[in-house]
Amino acid sequence: MVDAALEAVRKELREFPAAARELSVPLAVPYLDKPPTPLCFYRDWVCPNRPCIIRNALQHWPALQKWSLPYFRATVGSTEVSVAVTPDGYADAVRGDRFVMPAERRLPLSFVVDVLEERAQHPGVLYVQKQCSNLPTELAQLLPDLESHVPWASEALVHKDHYENLYCVVSGEKYFLLHPPTDRPFIPYELYTPATYQLTEEGTFKVVDEEAMEKVPWIPLDPLAPDLARYPSYSQAQALRCTVRAGEMLYLPALWFHHVQQSHGCIAVNFWYDMEYDFKYSYFQLLDSLTKASGLN
């Protein structure tokens, strides 16, 4: 009796993502030719939890014409910035039985630009980024080149309380692979020991465990080359792929799974807004809990 009930729950969970896709998940990420009004953005995209790419949203930013590697060298080249360093470009990633975070270095931005332009060398792959914003804290000289927020999004999301994300690409391209929250039954999670890359004096990387930290739940598969023998359920998930080009902005709704790559030397700005903990959040927590409890995880 119990086994039959459990299998019934599993069956419903397996069928749920397809029903949700048919009802509300687009086959491709839609494009908007201009920024929406705050009301339309909230009604058509935020409330349904649907992504979109907005064109012609950054045309008035001076950054779109000015920002380039030579401009950075001339304007903020002497500024030291936080740089994530990894052996392969994957930060915050699963490696074996470890969840490995990047090594962090403080380097002059001009040196990073030299490495990107192959005028200088440094072990590993360098990525200038900071989770809690490096523009106001490290590169304040660049702030006049863009808006401090996105007005129509701020008005729509001002009461939002997790993360709604606006990816604004100034130069180059970003490549996104997205899964809606409803694909959760097909997306595995495992617990990993947290660790950090350390760069040795010889220029090699070693992995050092973070003993004081709790284990980290993370998605173990590479969505670009998934191990379907180990995670067969992932074959039933259907990813959306999109490219965000210079001058475009991607609205990535809260709770969406995402894998991001970028072109060499890509320059982008993220705006983060807290999500609203409404019924969508509660339903996702229920879906997550049922997936774990039924053994589909």
Side-chain angles (χ1 to χ4, degrees), residues 17-282:
R21 279 195 296 270
E22 186 174 340
L23 180 66
S24 60
V25 178
L27 295 176
V29 177
Y31 282 89
L32 307 183
D33 288 328
K34 63 180 181 179
T37 65
L39 176 62
C40 289
F41 182 55
Y42 191 77
R43 179 193 64 202
D44 299 339
W45 307 100
V46 178
C47 284
N49 199 236
R50 299 175 66 217
C52 62
I53 296 174
I54 304 104
R55 290 171 168 154
N56 301 307
L58 315 177
Q59 308 311 110
H60 56 293
W61 286 13
L64 203 59
Q65 282 71 47
K66 295 165 69 174
W67 283 13
S68 64
L69 297 184
Y71 177 76
F72 285 168
R73 180 187 284 111
T75 307
V76 288
S78 61
T79 303
E80 282 201 347
V81 294
S82 302
V83 182
V85 187
T86 61
D88 54 8
Y90 279 85
D92 296 346
V94 171
R95 288 293 176 264
D97 60 351
R98 296 292 188 270
F99 173 77
V100 187
M101 295 167 281
E104 290 191 357
R105 289 288 181 274
R106 299 282 300 175
L107 297 171
L109 188 58
S110 59
F111 177 75
V112 178
V113 171
D114 286 344
V115 172
L116 290 174
E117 294 182 336
E118 299 183 345
R119 300 184 183 190
Q121 292 185 335
H122 190 282
V125 178
L126 307 185
Y127 183 40
V128 179
Q129 61 89 32
K130 201 169 187 179
Q131 188 67 28
C132 296
S133 184
N134 57 358
L135 270 176
T137 57
E138 298 182 340
L139 297 167
Q141 304 97 308
L142 298 176
L143 289 176
D145 292 343
L146 70 163
E147 290 180 300
S148 60
H149 68 114
V150 181
W152 48 269
S154 295
E155 184 174 340
L157 300 170
V158 66
H159 296 299
K160 287 281 165 287
D161 201 9
H162 229 28
Y163 293 121
E164 309 280 359
N165 200 338
L166 294 170
Y167 282 88
C168 306
V169 176
V170 176
S171 175
E173 298 178 341
K174 279 187 176 282
Y175 314 108
F176 289 83
L177 183 151
L178 308 175
H179 282 288
T182 49
D183 271 356
R184 174 63 184 91
F186 304 141
I187 296 176
Y189 271 81
E190 293 179 4
L191 290 174
Y192 292 91
T193 299
T196 303
Y197 283 121
Q198 286 192 1
L199 191 56
T200 68
E201 293 182 359
E202 294 77 24
T204 59
F205 290 86
K206 67 177 181 178
V207 175
V208 179
D209 288 348
E210 298 288 347
E211 303 288 352
M213 294 176 62
E214 295 183 356
K215 288 200 170 187
V216 177
W218 205 256
I219 299 171
L221 59 78
D222 178 356
L224 302 180
D227 184 350
L228 297 181
R230 185 174 179 184
Y231 306 107
S233 293
Y234 185 71
S235 63
Q236 300 177 64
Q238 293 186 17
L240 280 72
R241 298 171 185 263
C242 64
T243 299
V244 185
R245 298 176 173 85
E248 297 179 343
M249 175 191 301
L250 169 68
Y251 166 57
L252 179 61
L255 304 176
W256 278 62
F257 302 94
H258 53 284
H259 178 279
V260 189
Q261 296 176 293
Q262 64 184 31
S263 62
H264 183 75
C266 176
I267 304 170
V269 178
N270 285 10
F271 291 93
W272 303 81
Y273 295 86
D274 288 340
M275 72 168 281
E276 186 173 359
Y277 289 95
D278 57 5
F279 68 92
K280 292 192 294 292
Y281 178 78
S282 299

